[in-house]
């Protein structure tokens, strides 16, 4: 049974692909050529936990909320532009 040694940077990046980017563990394991068991072990060791993870989750939720609001406001602006052009054409 051969045991490969991976650098800490490699392990942290593999964990980031799972935690930050949301890729499935099995997919990352297959792509990187490591065992699923190793990835779960690395995730326990290197994944953010507690307050750091809560802060990251809060930031992600805020970003989703702001993007949603931006999309809504952009749609409203586009509708108002079309209405202004329509009424300008009607009065002119």
């Amino acid at each position: 049974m051969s045991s490969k040694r991976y650098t800490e940077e490699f392990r942290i990046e593999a964990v980031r692909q799972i935690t930050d980017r949301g890729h499935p563990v099995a997919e990352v394991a297959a792509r990187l050529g490591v065992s699923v068991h190793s990835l779960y072990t690395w995730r326990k060791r290197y994944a953010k936990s507690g307050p750091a993870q809560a802060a990251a989750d809060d930031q992600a939720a805020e970003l989703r909320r702001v993007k949603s609001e931006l999309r809504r406001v952009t749609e409203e602006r586009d509708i108002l532009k079309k209405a202004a052009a329509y009424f300008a054409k009607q009065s002119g």
Side-chain angles (χ1 to χ4, degrees), residues 9 14-15 23 26 32 37 46-47 50 52 56 66 68 74 77 86 88-89:
E9 292 82 17
V15 171
H23 296 293
L32 298 178
H37 176 71
Y46 297 113
V66 169
S68 174
T74 301
R77 183 207 59 204
Y86 174 78
K89 188 187 295 183

Side-chain angles (χ1 to χ4, degrees), residues 4-60:
K4 293 183 182 178
R5 296 286 180 179
Y6 298 100
T7 64
E8 188 169 1
E9 292 82 17
F10 178 87
R11 294 174 185 179
I12 292 170
E13 181 55 35
V15 171
R16 278 193 191 125
Q17 289 183 24
I18 298 165
T19 57
D20 297 348
R21 298 184 191 125
H23 296 293
V25 174
E27 177 186 310
V28 174
R31 191 170 354 111
L32 298 178
V34 299
S35 71
V36 172
H37 176 71
S38 294
L39 280 176
Y40 281 115
T41 303
W42 297 347
R43 187 175 69 177
K44 265 188 207 174
R45 184 182 308 162
Y46 297 113
K48 298 178 205 168
S49 61
Q53 183 63 38
D57 290 345
D58 289 346
Q59 285 180 343

Side-chain angles (χ1 to χ4, degrees), residues 34 52 58 62 65 72 85 87:
V34 299
D58 289 346
E62 177 70 8
R65 186 191 67 75
R72 181 186 59 80
F87 288 120

